[in-house]
Amino acid sequence: MKKIAVGIDLGGTKIATCAMDEAGNLLEKTELPTLAKEGPEKVIERMKRSVYEVLKRLDLSLSDIAGIGIGVPGPMDAKRGRVKNPPNLPGWKDIPLLSIMEEEFNIPVFMENDANAAAIAENLFGAGKGVKNFIYITISTGIGGGAITNGRLFKGGDGNAAEVGHMTINFEGPVCGCGNSGCWEAYASGTALTRFAREGILSGRKTRITDLAGQDEVRAEHVFAAAKEGDEFARELVEKEGFYLGVGLANVVNAYNPERIAIGGGLTHAWDMFYSTMVEVMKTRALPANVEHLEVMKAKLGTDVGTIGAASLVFHKE
């Protein structure tokens, strides 16, 4: 059996592609800008080019590769291999990505929701290794998730299960990017944190956040940096972030009863600032029996989790 797979992590801003062996070792990787506004045809051409670039660097041909795995932003139709209409990829409406890539490369191609692929990666090689009931959650611009139940990826009917960021935690809450009101993502994502910061600044709160941002837009990193300096408003925001994360985690815990939850994504750079509040709120609000043996930890694979997960689809087919 061929022991090398190619993984493509398709994101709204970048296309990350790797070659990986069956043990999870990255042999080569490359990144190209997605340039999503140019539409699906040109983005797909860049995806194809990234595969050829990785193979060229390793002096390999397609005949040396076991297959290609692709992690795509949801929603998707896993049964038909189509990308439905992800909000960060304009013009991607019911795109038959799987068949397009199969036709180009003529080797096995596998496609999965990007958060599901990341969950597989962490379960095989990272924070969830050896855990049969495991949840991976990413907290960044948005909130996504993937669930491993009884040692297998829980996909749901169309491959869109564990969209935990779109659990409603306040039916009268702010409008989320998905169009619904009060989603967890609208309260606890990096986007939500910066929205709360801007709202406070506009209401007249004095804060170091504005000084740190300067002429740039306020970002989550500015909030965390100001909080580290002791800024009162920033510290309130970080406390609120931990609280909302804990509320959402309690729902996840009650729905899935996992043995372990691993959290990744951009906001985990400030892990120590919100972890204790998050876990305390989760334990207060979840069913006691469901948190008694639960572990919550930071994910281990960092920014490579998407490509490792995509490549893992080739070796660990469901």
Side-chain angles (χ1 to χ4, degrees), residues 65-318:
I65 302 301
I68 297 170
I70 308 170
V72 299
M76 62 176 285
D77 183 339
K79 293 175 181 174
R80 296 165 62 228
R82 290 174 175 262
V83 181
K84 298 295 284 183
N85 191 20
N88 59 351
L89 293 175
W92 285 66
K93 189 171 183 180
D94 206 31
I95 299 296
L97 180 61
L98 190 69
S99 61
I100 291 171
M101 299 297 274
E102 286 175 333
E103 186 175 327
E104 172 72 20
F105 296 107
N106 199 31
I107 60 174
V109 180
F110 307 90
M111 190 170 81
E112 189 56 77
N113 176 288
D114 52 5
N116 285 351
I120 291 171
E122 286 286 347
N123 189 230
L124 290 170
F125 308 114
K129 190 171 183 178
V131 180
K132 287 193 171 183
N133 294 286
F134 169 72
I135 302 288
Y136 170 78
I137 295 172
T138 177
I139 306 165
S140 191
T141 305
I143 295 178
I148 306 293
T149 59
N150 295 320
R152 296 177 65 87
L153 177 69
F154 179 61
K155 294 185 178 186
D158 295 301
N160 297 309
E163 285 284 2
V164 295
H166 300 292
M167 301 180 300
T168 299
I169 62 170
N170 179 2
F171 64 87
E172 294 181 325
V175 176
C176 177
C178 73
N180 192 17
S181 296
C183 291
W184 190 24
E185 183 173 298
Y187 279 92
S189 65
T191 303
L193 179 61
T194 57
R195 187 187 75 247
F196 288 132
R198 288 194 301 270
E199 289 172 355
I201 291 165
L202 288 172
S203 73
R205 292 296 300 265
K206 301 299 180 185
T207 173
R208 278 280 292 151
I209 296 171
T210 50
D211 300 328
L212 293 168
Q215 298 300 311
D216 297 331
E217 283 192 16
V218 171
R219 297 191 299 273
E221 64 196 67
H222 300 134
V223 176
F224 289 121
K228 281 184 179 178
E229 293 182 11
D231 182 272
E232 182 181 357
F233 177 53
R235 293 181 71 163
E236 289 174 16
L237 290 172
V238 172
E239 185 71 12
K240 183 187 287 188
E241 175 67 23
F243 175 81
Y244 287 137
L245 285 173
V247 169
L249 281 184
N251 290 324
V252 171
V253 168
N254 287 343
Y256 289 99
N257 187 204
E259 299 163 71
R260 186 177 298 166
I261 297 173
I263 299 176
L267 260 66
T268 58
H269 292 304
W271 180 255
D272 292 340
M273 300 183 71
F274 61 75
Y275 171 79
S276 59
T277 299
M278 174 183 74
V279 171
E280 181 182 349
V281 171
M282 177 198 73
K283 288 182 175 180
T284 300
R285 291 174 172 265
L287 292 170
N290 286 6
V291 295
E292 188 175 354
H293 304 294
L294 174 67
E295 296 178 282
V296 178
M297 64 177 61
K298 189 175 178 180
K300 291 185 177 179
L301 298 179
T303 56
D304 291 324
V305 67
T307 50
I308 293 172
S312 296
L313 300 175
V314 177
F315 296 129
H316 302 275
K317 301 178 280 291
E318 288 290 323

